[in-house]
Amino acid sequence: MALAVAALVCAWGAAMAQDYPVKPINIIVPAAAGGPTDTLTRVLASAMGEALKQQMIIENVGGAGGTIGINRAAKARADGYTLLLYHIGMATSPALYRKLPYDTLNDFDYVGQVADVPMMLIAKKATPSANFAEFLAYAKANKDKLTYANAGLGSASYLCGVLFMSAVDANFTMVPYKGTGPAMNDLVGGQVDFMCDQTTNTVSQIKSGNVKAYGVTTSARLSSMPDMPTLDEQGLKGFDLVVWNGVFAPKGVPKPALEKLVAALQSAVQSSAFRARLADLGAEPVPLAKATPGSLGALLKAEVDKWTPIIRKTGVYAD
Ligand code: MLT
C-alpha cells in the first residue's frame, strides 16, 4: 500500500513538473531594491520569464550581508517556484558568520551563473580629489573622519572595502546598509564619504556627475568605460575583484523543473536584449558553458575555499 502511494506521489510530482511553471516564480534578492543585485535580477527576470512564458516576481530581503534572504530561500519549498539570485556574498558569509542558519554548499540546487560585474571606487561629489592619487592622500589624512558605506558583513561592497583598506593600510568607519541601493542615496546626498560598488549601480551615477569615480576593481579596464583606470594600474598592485552572480534554488527541485530553469537561463544569457542591457550597465553576461548547474556549483566551492582563509585572517566575525 505504502509503495503504491509513494509511486502515486512520484507520478503526480513528475506530472506537475511536466506542466511547470503553472504560476509566477518568486526570485529572492538578498539586498534592498534599487541596488546592483536588484537591477541585474530585474533584467534577468524579464528574459527568463519570456523563455518560461511565466511571470517572475522579485522579493527583496536585505540585511546581514544577504544571509537573511539566502536563508529564506534555503528554507523555501523546493518546487521550482522560489529562486535566489546572489553573488560572491554566498562564498564570504560562511567565514564571517559562525552560526549561519543554512549550509552554503549543501542546501541549494544550482541553476547557473548569470553575469560578472566589476566594481568601482566612488566618493561623494564634494570630495576634494581630482584623481586616485589625490584621493588616497586625502583619505589617509582623514582616515579617522571618513565613512565607508557598504551592504553589511559578507556583501560585495564590504569585501571590496576590506581588500581596499588592507591594500592602502588604513581603516575607515564602516557604515552598513540593507543594500548599496540605499547606500548610494546617502552617498549622492553626501551623508557618507565613499564606497566600492558594482557598475550596475555606479555607471549611471558617474555619468550624471552625482558621484566621483577613482578606479575600477578589475585587472583590466572596462570596454564600457575605457578612460577609467584600474586600481591596479594606479598602484594597488594585484587588486582584482569582480562580482560573479548565480541563480540558486532550495535543494530538491524536481528534475524536469530544474531543467526548464536552466534552459530559460541559457536562453536569457544568449538574448541580445539581455546582453545589450548588461553592456550598458558595465556588466559581462557569462558564456553559455557557465550558465549551468555544474559551473555554478564548482565556482561556489572554489570561492568558499578562496575567501575563507583571507577573511579568517582579518579576525572579523559577524556573530
Ligand atoms: C546590492 O545589491 O545591494 C549589493 O549586491 C550589495 C553588495 O553585496 O554590496
Side-chain angles (χ1 to χ4, degrees):
M1 178 59 181
L3 266 180
V5 171
L8 204 61
V9 169
C10 277
W12 178 80
M16 284 299 290
Q18 290 311 333
D19 300 341
Y20 174 88
V22 296
K23 61 182 180 177
I25 297 167
N26 210 36
I27 308 186
I28 294 175
V29 171
T37 308
D38 184 61
T39 300
L40 177 64
T41 309
R42 287 177 195 279
V43 180
L44 181 71
S46 80
M48 278 185 75
E50 208 178 297
L52 290 161
K53 298 186 179 39
Q54 188 52 259
Q55 216 193 337
M56 302 193 89
I57 298 167
I58 294 173
E59 184 188 356
N60 296 92
V61 186
T67 56
I68 298 171
I70 299 170
N71 188 42
R72 173 87 58 90
K75 305 292 188 303
R77 236 177 113 170
D79 57 5
Y81 290 100
T82 301
L83 303 177
L84 167 75
L85 190 146
Y86 206 37
H87 55 39
I88 195 168
M90 289 289 283
T92 54
S93 40
L96 282 161
Y97 295 79
R98 285 171 286 210
K99 293 190 284 300
L100 267 186
Y102 56 88
D103 181 336
T104 299
L105 293 175
N106 294 301
D107 285 355
F108 298 96
D109 279 335
Y110 307 116
V111 179
Q113 294 180 50
V114 178
D116 293 337
V117 185
M119 303 186 84
M120 304 187 74
L121 183 68
I122 57 176
K124 66 183 182 188
K125 197 173 172 180
T127 306
S129 314
N131 55 46
F132 179 69
E134 287 181 16
F135 175 71
L136 199 50
Y138 167 74
K140 286 191 167 183
N142 297 281
K143 64 175 184 285
D144 304 330
K145 294 199 249 15
L146 293 194
T147 52
Y148 176 84
N150 65 89
L153 271 81
S155 66
S157 46
Y158 171 85
L159 180 64
C160 189
V162 168
L163 295 177
F164 175 74
M165 293 180 200
S166 103
V168 302
D169 190 25
N171 287 322
F172 303 91
T173 304
M174 288 268 200
V175 181
Y177 291 78
K178 284 189 179 283
T180 52
M184 182 65 83
N185 297 339
D186 276 6
L187 187 74
V188 170
Q191 279 93 49
V192 284
D193 297 298
F194 74 113
M195 176 164 77
C196 178
D197 195 15
Q198 297 162 66
T199 57
T200 38
N201 200 33
T202 59
V203 168
S204 60
Q205 299 292 354
I206 293 167
K207 286 189 173 157
S208 47
N210 292 338
V211 297
K212 286 191 171 164
Y214 294 113
V216 182
T217 64
T218 42
S219 52
R221 292 192 181 198
L222 307 183
S223 52
S224 58
M225 292 184 106
D227 303 333
M228 180 62 64
T230 66
L231 295 180
D232 172 78
E233 69 184 274
Q234 298 183 99
L236 302 191
K237 282 291 154 231
F239 202 104
D240 187 9
L241 181 63
V242 70
V243 180
W244 55 266
N245 293 268
V247 177
F248 303 82
K251 195 151 194 92
V253 173
K255 200 156 175 286
L258 196 60
E259 284 166 357
K260 285 184 182 172
L261 288 168
V262 174
L265 171 64
Q266 293 185 346
S267 131
V269 297
Q270 293 175 93
S271 88
S272 48
F274 178 81
R275 301 182 74 82
R277 184 73 187 103
L278 260 60
D280 289 346
L281 295 166
E284 194 69 39
V286 296
L288 200 54
K290 290 188 174 182
T292 61
S295 173
L296 181 58
L299 173 70
L300 181 62
K301 176 77 177 64
E303 288 280 288
V304 169
D305 293 346
K306 171 182 170 186
W307 291 111
T308 297
I310 294 171
I311 291 170
R312 287 267 157 80
K313 229 170 55 194
T314 67
V316 175
Y317 288 101
D319 53 8

